[in-house]
Amino acid sequence: MPAPTKKRQLDLSEFPRGTITEYTTLVCLACIFDIFTRQLGLAPRTAFSEVKRHTPTIEELTSRSATRPYFDSEEKNPHCPYCGSAKRWLARFDTVCIEGSKTTHAARRALLKKLPKADEQFLVMEKKSDSRAVFFEWLDTLRGNLDLEDEGWLIDATRMYLERREPKTNWDEAFDELRAVRRSSRLTEGWERDGARLFLAPILYSEALLIQYLVSRSHAHGGVTLEGRLTLMELIRRLRYSGYLDQSGITEREPGEVFEKLIDHLASTHEWSNVSAASDSRVAAKKKATKKKPAKTSAKRSSKSRKSKGTPPEPDVTITEPVKLHYLVDRRDFLEKVKSVYASYAS
Ligand SMILES: [Zn+2]
């Protein structure tokens, strides 16, 4: 991907890692103009103003298999795969997807405030989703960022999972020069470094195994974990033996059902991204929750208070929670290219 000018890049450093996903999609203006002028029969001038207003859908911006006039390319000098047009006909949409949660709220507000308002250079769109869909999307991105042929991916996956689960922790330090990840027989929560090894409390370790299994299970038969290649049955047996299933309130016996519960449990926001925020922000969030949208927040509040008492969630409660996704679309490159392309069209 051609690197955008540094100063034009959005500063996303205030967002905890794992709470945002960035997408880049190229669009061929020659193809768009072609559609508007030839297929729809518009005059170039009209086509220009139509194209300028154009905004792709969220699916078009974030899909892993783009269709005309959109495409993805890793090349430095990409060409349109549909009509062969060169760089000056190609515009880039950069999209940031921010997970709506207490952890990202302040940073999102601050970012939106800073954006230029004129000419719709930026667009904000929202999509309702749920913790399960968000979790799978995250897993998908994680898989794309790992090289499963390289053994180091197990540690990388562990790190990305921890960064997401506990965004406030400085994981750079914990993973610096790290050689191995092990289950701690001492800790009941958190982690500790011992030389080049990182010891995780059983819950964190169990979840790391689960994530590794989920990431690699489509890649090969079974899943590869820190404990070797495991079938689903073997993984569940380990999680049961380590006490993870009990701690998570999973009482099912049938492997398929256990698996579904495990996914919901991992994905549910109260376990995953919200609770991991510092306790002070949890208090602030609670205060706010009493004021607005009582129907929506009540589920979260009850899960929080349950969590704060340290008891596991009741097993028969559905813990998939609604999540709002905020999409921020950077249209600056697109608008500039449309202008220059039109100039050459009109002359
Ligand atoms: Zn094209």
Side-chain angles (χ1 to χ4, degrees):
M1 207 69 354
T5 332
K6 275 280 178 290
K7 63 178 178 198
R8 290 199 21 169
Q9 228 161 5
L10 296 178
D11 178 11
L12 302 171
S13 57
E14 293 301 309
F15 291 94
R17 272 182 228 175
T19 61
I20 52 172
T21 314
E22 294 176 74
Y23 303 89
T24 296
T25 293
L26 295 172
V27 60
C28 174
L29 297 176
C31 282
I32 293 200
F33 268 94
D34 186 62
I35 292 169
F36 278 99
T37 55
R38 282 177 218 270
Q39 294 182 22
L40 302 178
L42 297 181
R45 172 88 214 147
T46 323
F48 172 67
S49 49
E50 286 299 318
V51 169
K52 221 172 69 170
R53 275 204 294 267
H54 173 75
T55 300
T57 62
I58 290 171
E59 282 67 33
E60 286 166 329
L61 289 167
T62 61
S63 158
R64 269 160 239 277
S65 49
T67 54
R68 189 178 183 234
Y70 305 99
F71 65 99
D72 299 318
S73 173
E74 298 290 333
E75 279 169 55
K76 209 169 167 208
N77 289 303
H79 286 77
C80 170
Y82 314 108
C83 73
S85 286
K87 209 172 166 186
R88 67 184 197 94
W89 294 90
L90 310 178
R92 203 185 63 238
F93 284 106
D94 288 319
T95 307
V96 184
C97 175
I98 305 164
E99 259 179 66
S101 74
K102 308 289 187 286
T103 343
T104 57
H105 185 73
R108 185 170 57 84
R109 291 286 295 270
L111 176 66
L112 291 181
K113 233 184 219 172
K114 272 192 292 188
L115 297 178
K117 301 282 180 294
D119 304 326
E120 300 197 308
Q121 296 175 65
F122 285 91
L123 278 190
V124 181
M125 297 192 265
E126 286 177 1
K127 191 171 102 179
K128 280 192 186 128
S129 189
D130 60 59
S131 51
R132 213 180 148 100
V134 167
F135 176 65
F136 277 111
E137 179 69 16
W138 176 80
L139 265 184
D140 227 26
T141 308
L142 176 64
R143 196 177 294 121
N145 287 331
L146 294 170
D147 176 7
L148 296 188
E149 302 300 324
D150 175 356
E151 242 178 59
W153 80 264
L154 287 163
I155 288 181
D156 293 340
T158 307
R159 177 189 174 131
M160 289 181 222
Y161 144 70
L162 289 168
E163 281 175 350
R164 181 173 168 129
R165 195 188 202 272
E166 292 183 16
K168 297 276 158 96
T169 304
N170 178 3
W171 292 108
D172 287 341
E173 231 168 81
F175 277 81
D176 187 41
E177 309 269 322
L178 189 72
R179 305 290 293 273
V181 177
R182 301 259 186 275
R183 177 203 305 275
S184 170
S185 51
R186 233 169 48 76
L187 299 171
T188 53
E189 58 179 47
W191 54 276
E192 65 182 357
R193 262 300 281 265
D194 181 10
R197 294 174 303 173
L198 176 70
F199 286 86
L200 298 177
I203 289 188
L204 293 182
Y205 185 79
S206 296
E207 291 182 353
L209 292 185
L210 192 49
I211 296 288
Q212 290 155 1
Y213 173 85
L214 288 168
V215 164
S216 60
R217 75 183 161 140
S218 60
H219 178 70
H221 221 65
V224 177
T225 70
L226 284 169
E227 312 220 324
R229 188 180 293 278
L230 300 176
T231 63
L232 180 60
M233 292 291 280
E234 288 164 342
L235 175 71
I236 289 175
R237 203 174 301 134
R238 264 163 223 252
L239 296 181
R240 191 183 304 283
Y241 181 73
S242 73
Y244 181 72
L245 296 187
D246 283 345
Q247 274 162 329
S248 312
I250 298 173
T251 53
E252 282 74 6
R253 307 296 302 180
E254 200 273 311
E257 285 172 27
V258 172
F259 187 63
E260 289 304 306
K261 288 281 172 182
L262 279 169
I263 302 281
D264 275 339
H265 184 72
L266 256 190
S268 64
T269 48
H270 71 270
E271 276 296 329
W272 192 236
S273 49
N274 285 351
V275 165
S276 48
S279 54
D280 56 346
S281 71
R282 231 187 293 172
V283 174
K286 248 186 189 174
K287 249 190 258 163
K288 230 182 276 166
T290 53
K291 278 186 194 158
K292 51 180 185 181
K293 293 187 198 161
K296 222 176 170 187
T297 47
S298 59
K300 283 197 180 160
R301 275 167 61 210
S302 65
S303 64
K304 280 211 178 83
S305 53
R306 202 163 59 209
K307 178 73 186 175
S308 60
K309 278 177 213 142
T311 50
E314 293 128 44
D316 55 348
V317 173
T318 309
I319 49 181
T320 302
E321 295 182 7
V323 177
K324 200 184 253 180
L325 299 177
H326 304 267
Y327 291 86
L328 186 58
V329 185
D330 185 345
R331 297 175 77 243
R332 289 176 297 181
D333 187 61
F334 174 74
L335 290 173
E336 281 166 19
K337 290 278 170 55
V338 169
K339 225 180 245 175
S340 67
V341 162
Y342 175 67
S344 67
Y345 236 79
S347 62

